[in-house]
Structures are given as C-alpha cells and as structure tokens.
Amino acid sequence: MAALKVLKPAFRHPSLVKQARLLNELPAIKGLEICQRYVLNPQEDSELLAAHPELLYAINMPWIDGVLWTDILLERSVWSDQQALNYAIAFANLMMEMEQIGIAHTDLSSANIVIQHKESEDIQIGLIDVEGLYAETLEEPEYLPDGATGYSPLFLRDDPDWSAYSDRFSGSMIMIEMLSRSDQSLVDHTWAESYFDPTDMQHPDSERYIALQEKLADRFGQEIVNLLARAWNAEQLQQCPSFGEWYVALTAAQVRLDEQKPIHSENNKANDSVSSAGEPVVESSHSIDSIGDSSIRPITSEQQNHLEQARHLEHIGNKSSALWKYGVLLEELSSSSPLYIEISVVMAEIQQQLDEELEEIAPPPPMAKKLLQQAMPEQNQSLYHRLWVGCTAGACLIVVLALLIYIIKGF
C-alpha cells in the first residue's frame, strides 16, 4: 500500500527530487521504510502534472500502518511496567541504529512516530515526515523544522539544529513518555499531545519533571532518572545521553524486572518438595549471565564512575586524559555492546581534535625568525673578516721573509 503526500505551494521545491534519490540510497533500517519514495516531477511526469498541477513535487511513499504516538498519549491508558519497557526499548533500538550510522530525524514528536501493533509482543516503531532527515549524504533543507513545543529544549528555540545529534533531547523525552504510561498519576498529569507542557521544558521546579523522577526511579531504577536529568539539564545536544546509553539502561531495567517476576513453571512446584532421590531441589539463581546476549548487560558502578570521569575530563577540555579514561573503560566492555560502539565514536572524535590541534602548532614567531636570520649573516661576516685578516698577514710575512733572504744573499 502506498501514500501520496501533496505539499503546500511553499514547500514544493525541486530539491525534493534529489533528496528522494539520496534517501533511497540510505542503508535499509527497519522503521525508516518511509524513505523509499518517489517525487513527481515535470521531467518524468509531465502528462500527469499537466492534468493535476497541484501534484507538482508530491511524494509517493509507502503507507506506514499503525497508530500515532499522539493518539496513544491522548487515550490516557495505563500500561504495565513490562509494556512500557517494551515500547521504550523498541524506540531506543531504532534510534540507536540510526545514530550509529549518523542519521537523525531532526523533528521528532508524537505526531511523527507510528506504533505498529502485532499479535506477538514484538513492537515495531516507524518514523514519518522525514523531509528534514540528517545524513552526511543529504543537503541541509532550506527550512529547518522549529521543533515540537513539548520536545524542544530551550537552547534550540531560536536556533534549530540539523546534525547527527538533533534527536537526542526530543528522543529522550519520548522514551520517558513511554515509561510514564506505567503510572496512573503520571498519565493523569500528561499535558496534551506530549507529557510536558511547553512551559515546563528544562525548568528544575516543573511538577511533571519532579513527579517523573520519583515514580520512574521506583519502577525502572535510578539510572533511568540519571539519564533524564542529563538531558533535562543539558545546554547543548552533545551533553544529552546517546541512544546507546538509553538502550543499555533500559535493558538493565528489563533484567531487574525479569528478576522480580515469579517463575511459573513445573520446576517451581518441585522447589517445595523433595526429589524422588530424596534430595532437595535447589533453585538456581537468576543471574545476569543467563539472560540474553552479553551485549545488553548493565555496566557496573565502577564502569559508570569511569564513564562519568571521562565525560567530565572531556567537558573541561582535558582531551588526552579523557581519551585515556575512555580507553580503560572500552577494554572492559563487549565489542558488540551499544556503549562500546558509542565510546569508540567519541574516542575517534577526540583523537581527530587532538590531531588537528597538533597540526595548528605554529613555526617560530616571526620576530624570532627574523633575529635568527640577522644573526646568521653577522656570524658569516665575522668569519670572513677573520679569514681575510689572516690571509693578508700571512702574505705580508712571506713578502718580508723573501725580502730578507734576497738582502742576505746579496751580501
């Protein structure tokens, strides 16, 4: 099934044809099927546009079936902790995959997220309205989105961003919205099409923000609240948590939630009795090692301290020390973990900055160079002078000696 997006005259730009071609060339990501599109243009669709000029540069794209996140927010329904985590992890996974290859939506809001429900527990999330998508191969659009009021930080209100970091703040707010559906009081305090009232954004005394900290810490752990605080207090997008960090924290919350669930199996019945051999049945501990892939294991408190120290050193400009700290932490992580990939990218950026700083080291100052050039001729001149005096004195001595020998022989 396909959809046709007809644009208002102000947004009918010839550049959409090139953008569509470049979007089609992006790596295939589940959730970005909307990028597979075709733009009606005068060169290839002249007959159709002659009959329907309003379709100029209209976009033919796949139809993304599902429910808008806006509609779910407006339903004011309450979920279980597990359901809330399922939504947040699915969204974090999509955004992490995009961020790791340098792609950003740049205009995330509840109206641009489609939730695709399936019979299984596997939740699929798709993004729409990707005309402002960021990628290295794309050109910056003429009109940047201003950002949805319930998802835009204060520092971007007058200066929209178009970069690989553009989604970090708004994406953090959306994941928090998904987790907030697990608590009745948070659902009741949802503003409208977003959890936060636009006047709440980044205000430390916001009642909605304070309520989130209290409720989510109890349900999903302090690390989730710490990531929310980092985004809430950020002064630039780079200070917001990466989606890799969100994914790690959410999967760690999933591990804790699994540990709290009662185990319904026949083995549980045997735990209350004695085995046929007369030996008690010992229940095995539910350790992190037995759950899923090691790539989603939560980091230890010591690793978290290393991470915070490295970020602090990077923030104050001590790049060499930050690089070393990141490297120490990297050796302790699985190469398949999202945090490993994120730290590798950060280290590469720091190393590039250090290399650029070395290249900018200037040669000797012009004054020193001038004095050096002046000193060299003087030294050469002094050497030549001494050599000339010596040669002249030697020649005079030879003449005197020859004269004396001539005189002596004459007598």
Side-chain angles (χ1 to χ4, degrees):
M1 186 181 295
L4 185 64
K5 184 174 184 177
V6 180
L7 304 174
K8 296 179 180 179
F11 297 98
R12 297 172 188 170
H13 298 292
S15 60
L16 290 171
V17 178
K18 179 181 179 181
Q19 184 197 47
R21 176 177 57 79
L22 295 175
L23 286 174
N24 283 318
E25 295 174 358
L26 291 176
I29 295 179
K30 198 170 186 178
L32 281 182
E33 292 85 357
I34 197 73
C35 291
Q36 303 303 309
R37 52 184 52 202
Y38 172 77
V39 175
L40 302 179
N41 61 88
Q43 185 177 3
E44 300 180 11
D45 308 288
S46 57
E47 293 184 7
L48 176 61
L49 295 176
H52 302 280
E54 70 278 6
L55 296 182
L56 179 63
Y57 300 125
I59 304 171
N60 186 346
M61 65 187 79
W63 174 263
I64 308 300
D65 192 22
V67 181
L68 288 178
W69 179 240
T70 300
D71 297 331
I72 296 178
L73 286 174
L74 293 175
E75 285 177 1
R76 299 292 191 268
S77 57
V78 182
W79 298 340
S80 66
D81 291 352
Q82 183 60 68
Q83 190 177 9
L85 264 177
N86 287 344
Y87 275 80
I89 289 175
F91 181 75
N93 184 61
L94 169 60
M95 301 308 300
M96 176 181 65
E97 187 174 359
M98 291 172 56
E99 188 173 57
Q100 287 176 175
I101 60 175
I103 297 176
H105 184 280
T106 77
D107 191 24
L108 285 178
S109 70
S110 61
N112 293 335
I113 299 173
V114 178
I115 310 296
Q116 298 172 294
H117 295 275
K118 292 189 175 182
E119 294 180 0
S120 66
E121 294 184 357
D122 183 25
I123 297 173
Q124 298 298 323
I125 295 181
L127 303 182
I128 59 175
D129 290 342
V130 295
E131 284 71 38
L133 194 78
Y134 171 85
E136 289 185 355
T137 57
L138 299 177
E139 296 179 357
E140 183 174 345
E142 186 174 351
Y143 298 102
L144 289 176
D146 295 329
T149 53
Y151 302 96
S152 180
L154 294 176
F155 57 83
L156 290 184
R157 289 287 170 86
D158 300 322
D159 187 20
D161 181 82
W162 193 73
S163 73
Y165 302 102
S166 295
D167 295 338
R168 284 196 172 183
F169 185 89
S170 55
S172 297
M173 297 305 107
I174 289 168
M175 281 181 285
I176 288 299
E177 283 181 346
M178 292 175 172
L179 295 177
S180 74
R181 302 300 91 187
S182 63
D183 186 272
Q184 182 68 61
S185 62
L186 295 179
V187 171
D188 293 340
H189 281 83
T190 299
W191 176 65
E193 297 179 358
S194 61
Y195 173 78
F196 288 108
D197 184 317
T199 60
D200 289 329
M201 302 310 296
Q202 294 195 288
H203 288 292
D205 298 329
S206 165
E207 293 183 4
R208 291 185 177 88
Y209 173 64
I210 294 173
L212 275 174
Q213 290 181 305
E214 296 173 354
K215 301 294 183 180
L216 298 186
D218 292 338
R219 292 180 177 275
F220 304 109
Q222 186 61 39
E223 179 60 20
I224 297 294
V225 176
N226 292 343
L227 294 180
L228 169 61
R230 278 179 54 196
W232 194 259
N233 298 316
E235 297 179 355
Q236 55 183 347
L237 290 169
Q238 289 88 334
Q239 295 174 353
C240 297
S242 69
F243 290 107
E245 292 176 83
W246 275 111
Y247 186 81
V248 169
L250 290 168
T251 50
Q254 178 66 69
V255 169
R256 288 191 293 270
L257 188 62
D258 289 341
E259 291 175 342
Q260 296 169 4
K261 291 179 180 178
I263 303 175
H264 299 288
S265 65
E266 294 182 359
N267 291 335
N268 289 340
K269 299 177 182 179
N271 289 338
D272 298 328
S273 61
V274 179
S275 68
S276 58
E279 298 178 353
V281 178
V282 180
E283 181 181 355
S284 62
S285 61
H286 195 53
S287 65
I288 292 176
D289 291 337
S290 66
I291 302 172
D293 193 331
S294 62
S295 64
I296 64 173
R297 294 175 188 168
I299 62 176
T300 65
S301 58
E302 184 179 356
Q303 291 171 339
Q304 180 65 32
N305 290 335
H306 280 308
L307 184 60
E308 292 176 357
Q309 291 171 11
R311 286 176 179 147
H312 175 70
L313 290 168
E314 182 185 1
H315 179 69
I316 64 176
N318 193 344
K319 298 175 184 176
S320 298
S321 298
L323 192 65
W324 181 81
K325 276 286 184 184
Y326 279 129
V328 171
L329 178 57
L330 205 65
E331 293 178 355
E332 302 176 1
L333 299 173
S334 167
S335 59
S336 61
S337 71
L339 186 58
Y340 183 98
I341 299 172
E342 174 67 21
I343 291 176
S344 299
V345 173
V346 172
M347 290 180 66
E349 293 178 353
I350 295 176
Q351 187 61 59
Q352 182 178 358
Q353 293 171 6
L354 290 172
D355 293 341
E356 291 174 354
E357 290 175 2
L358 288 174
E359 292 175 358
E360 293 175 358
I361 296 178
M367 181 59 69
K369 186 176 181 181
K370 183 177 180 181
L371 292 174
L372 185 62
Q373 291 175 343
Q374 290 177 349
M376 291 296 292
E378 290 178 0
Q379 293 176 356
N380 293 339
Q381 184 178 5
S382 176
L383 179 62
Y384 294 149
H385 178 72
R386 289 196 297 270
L387 183 61
W388 180 82
V389 170
C391 291
T392 303
C396 292
L397 181 60
I398 292 172
V399 170
V400 171
L401 290 174
L403 184 59
L404 289 174
I405 293 171
Y406 176 78
I407 293 172
I408 293 171
K409 287 183 176 182
F411 287 103

